[in-house]
Every structure is written in structure tokens, then in C-alpha cells.
Amino acid sequence: MRNKLIIFLVLLISATSVVCAQEAKKEMIPLKYGATNEGKRQDPAMQKFRDNRLGIFIHWGLYAIPGGEWNGKVYGGAAEWLKSWAKVPADDWMKLMDQWNPNKFNAKQWAKMAKDMGAKYVKITTKHHEGFCLWPSKYSKYTVAQTHDKRDLLGEMVKAYNDEGIDVHFYFSVMDWSHPDYRYSIKSEEDSIAFNRFLEFTDNQLKELATRYPTVKDFWFDGTWDASVKKNSWWTAHAEQMLKEMVPGVTINSRLRADDKGKRHFDSNGRLMGDYESGYERRLPDPVKDLKVTQWDWEGCMTIPENQWGYHKDWSLSYVKTPIEVIDRVVHAVSMGGNMVVNFGPQADGDFRPEEKALSAAIGKWTKRYGAAIYGCDYAGFDKQDWGYYTRGKNGEVYMVVFNQPYSERLIVKTPKGISIEKASLLTTGEDITVVETTRNEYNVSVPKKNPGEPYVIQLKIRVAEGTKGVYRDALT
Ligand code: JFZ
């Protein structure tokens, strides 16, 4: 009897502590402007965003005219920041509008170039920090409509890209160097009044963009790091909400957002704000340590030189990536469940520099052959190996994207528990690839008979054992 009582008490205590531990886990800081999504969005618009995987960035504005040079001095910093490097007053900077003459701009050619590269979406700088608008905004004096050219360049781009089946995303900088009401921080009542006017102006521009170009799929906010924006975090939640009401399915990046406490990207409860993380700028998560990124959507973006987004006339100032290095970063991102955006900085005349044309064509050659390992693919759940990256397709097939041919000419594959390899073949030719099981869950996969001479893809057909956990659960049905 006494023993039973003790057992009963022990059970009672352990049961209560489990409940308490669960309660403690759930205890969250109450937030008015925190995250709004529970986990990854799974609606069709978000799935399309994710399946696209490869996009391009277009940084185009007045900064393309000086191309990194002001008063005879070439600045090595990012060309789109030249106004700041050379300390040019806004009025002087805006005189560049008189020289805006994109006589070689051809939206159809731009769209064709993106299509040929294999890009499924394009992120366009509607307005960068300088304040010049690529659309005829009625809320600003600094727009394409006030130049000799007068064309709605953004409108032409939206149409041309959409005609090629390419989704259009809008880059929008909240920070605006041309606007007298912009404030970096709020130090007085006057600042506060001015900045409120500025936020109203920003709302108007956003509403204008959403109304004029209703096929827009995404807003990618930038220039939101200043104390003034963080202090007005309510506005970041409001802007997200407003655009979501205006544009069904629209996606918004995490960089817009700050919570009640001014915490950015992730709220004070550690939850991602916006629909996808946009903190990976010119860097990627660590493929071994940072696999937590597979739990949410994210998008990285990269420059081709070290750090030039807008057109800079001198690309000899830094290392310039090769097409294979760019492809490596794209596949790397997909292998960790992310998207990758490759940046282009068109010339002021509306043409692309030869280096960018060549790079885009080279990437296109590759994506045409091996795109199956990118589009619609996701994190595969296999341990990373030195030869390259794994991705997983929609039907549970696994792709090995081989960048480094090993000396041994054997590609080591370690499969997760419950996963075995049934068959391997070269993606391009269908050539059978020999697979030898060396120990449990470890295989030697042969390289192709003839080295393709470029990063190549081996497709694995896998078998999933009953009761397997992880990303392959669904493949069972
Ligand atoms: C911003 C801009 O200042 C830059 O000109 C370019 O448009 C780029 C895409 O975005 O630069 C950033 C923004 C965020 C980070 C780094 C550079 N970040 O989060 O590490």
C-alpha cells in the first residue's frame, strides 16, 4: 500500500513537471507587431516563390551614370552608394536626371536574357536609397517622368518579364536620401512629425506600386535599419498587412520588419517576421552548422564582383566571380532550402556590360542541362560531402550536384537512416552509374565514364523504409 502511494506520488510529480515544462516553453512575450505566420507558408503563391529558386536582381538608377566616379575620383565602394561616399548633396545628385538617357533600353531583350539564363523571377529596384523612381510616381519630383526619356521603365519591365513567364518582385528602399522628411533617428517632436509625414509618403508610393502593377509577386524592403524605422515598428507591421490586403498572395521579406522592441527579422520570441528570411546578403548559411535554416524560407542574394550592386565602370577593383562559382552558390542555397538571386547592374544607356551578358549566358547553358536539380528542389537531408551538394526533387528523387571530382573517382554517399539507394544515373544522358554499398547507409557512387568537364548531376532513385522520419516521411505515400 505504502509503495503504491510512493509510486503514485512519483508519477504525479513527473506528470506535473512535464506539464510545467510545456507551459514554460509556450510562455511568449506578448507582441503587437511580432511574427504573423506559424511556420512556413504553404499557399500556392508561397510555393511558387520557393519553387522558382533562381532569380536575378536588377540594380538600376541614376548611380549607373557616374558608375563609381565623381569629380575625377573613382570610389571603390558600392557604386549605388556613390552619393554617400562622395558626399554629394541631394540637389546636385538629382541633376543626374538631366543626363538620364537609356537609349539602348529594351525590356524585351532584358526579359529574354533572364529567361535564357534560367531565372524564374526578377527583383527590380523600383527606388534605391538615392530616391530616383523607375516609375512615374505622382508623389515625387525625382522619377523617370521628369527625365527627357519620360518612359515608365518599370512598367515596360513588368510587362516584358511577365510575358516571358518571369515573376516580378519589387525592391523598395524605405530610406530615401532625396526626401526632406526622412530621418535617421527621432530626436525631437519635429523629427517625429516629419517622419510621420515620410511614412505616409512611403505608404502612398507602396499603394501606387501595388495598384499600377498588380502582377507584382513580392516586395523586398531595404533601408529599414535606422533607429527611426525601428522606433516606428508598428509601421513595418502595417506595411506588410497593407500590401497583403492589396495584393493577394504577395510575399514580403523579413528585412522590412521590426517588432515592438525594435528587434529585426526575427521577433523577440525568435519567430521569423515576414514570409522569408532576407538576411543572407553576399554570404550563405554554413552547410554543416546552420541547417536550422531549413525550417523556414529564405533567400540569399549575391553580387558578381565582391560588392557592387549598381553599375561600376571599373570591375578590375575586386575579384569577379566565374560562372561556376555563381552556379555553386545557387545550388548551395537550394541544398539548404533557400533561393538565390544573382545581381546585375545595367549601364546607364540601358544595355548590360559584356561581362554580365557572358556570365548570364554561361549560367543559362548550365541550367538548361541541369535545372532539374534546382527548380522545385529542396533540402535533401543527407550529410554534406566534399564533392558538392544534394538537393531533393518533388518526387523524392535525390540529386547529387558534383563540383569537385574526387581523386578516388568514387563519390561517397552517406544516406540517412531508413534510406537506401536503388539506382543512380547521369541526369543528362541517363547513363547508368554504378553504386556499391560499402557499409550500412554508406555507398560508393562511380563518376561518369566520360568526365562532363563541368559540374554535373547524378540522379538517385531511393527507397524509403517503413517508419522513416524526417523529410522523406511524405515520400512513403
Ligand atoms: C543593401 C543596400 O544598401 C545595397 O546597396 C544593396 O541594394 C543591397 C542589396 O542591400 O545593403 C545591405 C543590406 C543588408 C545587409 C547588407 C547590405 N545585411 O543585412 O547584411
Side-chain angles (χ1 to χ4, degrees):
M1 182 63 207
R2 201 173 149 178
N3 277 349
K4 273 191 184 158
L5 188 67
I6 289 171
I7 290 170
F8 173 73
L9 282 175
V10 167
L11 284 177
L12 185 72
I13 290 164
S14 45
T16 339
S17 57
V18 167
V19 170
C20 288
Q22 277 171 354
E23 287 299 331
K25 231 167 131 193
K26 268 193 222 148
E27 207 180 288
M28 300 238 280
I29 302 165
L31 294 171
K32 276 212 292 242
Y33 312 119
T36 49
N37 294 338
E38 275 295 346
K40 289 187 188 180
R41 257 176 67 180
Q42 295 297 358
D43 54 285
M46 191 73 216
Q47 286 181 22
K48 179 66 170 44
F49 172 98
R50 189 181 299 136
D51 288 349
N52 281 343
R53 286 308 189 208
L54 172 60
I56 61 166
F57 226 135
I58 297 280
H59 274 74
W60 202 34
L62 296 175
Y63 42 79
I65 298 170
E69 181 180 342
W70 199 260
N71 281 342
K73 188 172 171 209
V74 175
Y75 292 78
E80 73 284 1
W81 276 78
L82 181 65
K83 178 189 176 298
S84 168
W85 309 142
K87 302 194 167 57
V88 187
D91 286 348
D92 288 349
W93 185 261
M94 285 307 179
K95 289 196 185 112
L96 287 168
M97 282 169 62
D98 299 339
Q99 294 176 53
W100 183 252
N101 180 22
N103 54 2
K104 289 192 183 149
F105 172 73
N106 181 328
K108 279 191 183 149
Q109 268 169 23
W110 284 32
K112 174 136 197 329
M113 181 173 154
K115 174 92 175 179
D116 289 348
M117 173 179 149
K120 303 290 184 193
Y121 65 108
V122 56
K123 295 183 112 79
I124 308 171
T125 50
T126 58
K127 179 180 88 166
H128 204 265
H129 310 332
E130 64 178 7
F132 180 65
C133 304
L134 289 185
W135 82 101
S137 174
K138 62 177 179 202
Y139 303 101
S140 169
K141 305 186 275 192
Y142 308 123
T143 84
V144 285
Q146 283 82 30
T147 64
H148 303 300
D149 185 70
K150 290 202 171 55
R151 281 180 290 174
D152 173 5
L153 301 172
L154 183 64
E156 290 190 24
M157 284 186 237
V158 171
K159 172 150 193 337
Y161 284 115
N162 283 170
D163 284 351
E164 287 285 7
I166 293 172
D167 288 340
V168 173
H169 296 191
F170 285 166
Y171 165 106
F172 184 93
S173 171
V174 173
M175 176 171 77
D176 185 330
W177 294 333
S178 76
H179 203 289
D181 288 333
Y182 187 75
R183 294 291 182 278
Y184 295 91
S185 58
I186 311 292
K187 295 204 184 83
S188 64
E189 182 60 22
E190 268 184 328
D191 283 345
S192 170
I193 292 167
F195 199 68
N196 281 341
R197 270 198 310 262
F198 178 80
L199 292 178
E200 213 178 297
F201 153 75
T202 306
D203 273 2
N204 283 334
Q205 287 208 317
L206 292 173
K207 283 188 225 164
E208 191 180 38
L209 284 169
T211 313
R212 285 182 65 100
Y213 314 103
T215 63
V216 61
K217 296 286 181 277
D218 172 274
F219 280 82
W220 197 93
F221 285 92
D222 193 19
T224 45
W225 46 72
D226 285 328
S228 52
V229 179
K230 286 193 273 184
K231 197 171 182 176
N232 284 281
S233 55
W234 67 270
W235 178 82
T236 70
H238 149 82
E240 178 179 358
Q241 197 52 41
M242 175 180 86
L243 290 171
K244 285 188 170 168
E245 279 163 23
M246 292 187 73
V247 186
V250 76
T251 50
I252 309 281
N253 67 335
S254 65
R255 193 175 291 182
L256 165 68
R257 297 283 274 106
D259 78 0
D260 311 37
K261 298 177 190 302
K263 206 168 163 307
R264 302 188 56 230
H265 294 278
F266 289 87
D267 71 14
S268 301
N269 292 314
R271 292 169 59 195
L272 180 70
M273 292 180 284
D275 301 307
Y276 60 98
E277 191 192 359
S278 58
Y280 291 102
E281 191 259 341
R282 295 186 300 123
R283 69 193 175 96
L284 276 173
D286 183 289
V288 181
K289 282 183 266 152
D290 286 346
L291 281 175
K292 60 182 193 312
V293 296
T294 61
Q295 294 164 25
W296 54 81
D297 286 298
W298 60 275
E299 177 189 72
C301 53
M302 63 183 287
T303 51
I304 298 167
E306 202 178 298
N307 184 18
Q308 295 293 344
W309 299 90
Y311 174 81
H312 193 293
K313 57 175 68 170
D314 189 358
W315 265 20
S316 75
L317 292 174
S318 83
Y319 181 72
V320 175
K321 293 174 194 70
T322 66
I324 289 183
E325 287 169 317
V326 173
I327 293 163
D328 183 293
R329 285 157 175 79
V330 172
V331 177
H332 182 162
V334 177
S335 78
M336 300 181 73
N339 287 20
M340 182 49 74
V341 178
V342 181
N343 182 69
F344 292 82
Q347 300 165 4
D349 65 7
D351 201 356
F352 287 83
R353 68 197 310 144
E355 297 96 322
E356 287 184 349
K357 286 184 187 170
L359 181 107
S360 159
I363 296 173
K365 245 174 105 181
W366 194 87
T367 53
K368 228 174 235 108
R369 283 206 268 273
Y370 301 105
I374 300 177
Y375 310 120
C377 289
D378 212 331
Y379 169 57
F382 284 39
D383 281 348
K384 164 111 179 65
Q385 300 294 328
D386 288 341
W387 45 254
Y389 308 98
Y390 296 100
T391 66
R392 185 177 75 116
K394 285 242 188 286
N395 301 313
E397 75 278 22
V398 171
Y399 298 101
M400 299 167 59
V401 189
V402 182
F403 284 89
N404 314 305
Q405 184 94 321
Y407 285 125
S408 66
E409 304 196 333
R410 294 281 175 275
L411 304 161
I412 294 173
V413 172
K414 294 181 182 171
T415 56
K417 210 166 159 254
I419 309 285
S420 51
I421 300 178
E422 277 194 341
K423 186 180 155 44
S425 52
L426 192 63
L427 181 68
T428 39
T429 60
E431 169 190 328
D432 251 333
I433 298 283
T434 311
V435 181
V436 177
E437 185 167 9
T438 46
T439 62
R440 203 174 167 78
N441 288 105
E442 190 168 329
Y443 300 80
N444 274 345
V445 173
S446 297
V447 300
K449 283 193 204 73
K450 182 172 170 289
N451 190 334
E454 61 186 0
Y456 58 86
V457 175
I458 293 176
Q459 186 176 346
L460 302 178
K461 189 161 178 255
I462 57 160
R463 184 204 298 275
V464 184
E466 203 74 43
T468 302
K469 294 199 180 69
V471 294
Y472 291 92
R473 259 188 328 244
D474 319 333
L476 272 174
T477 49

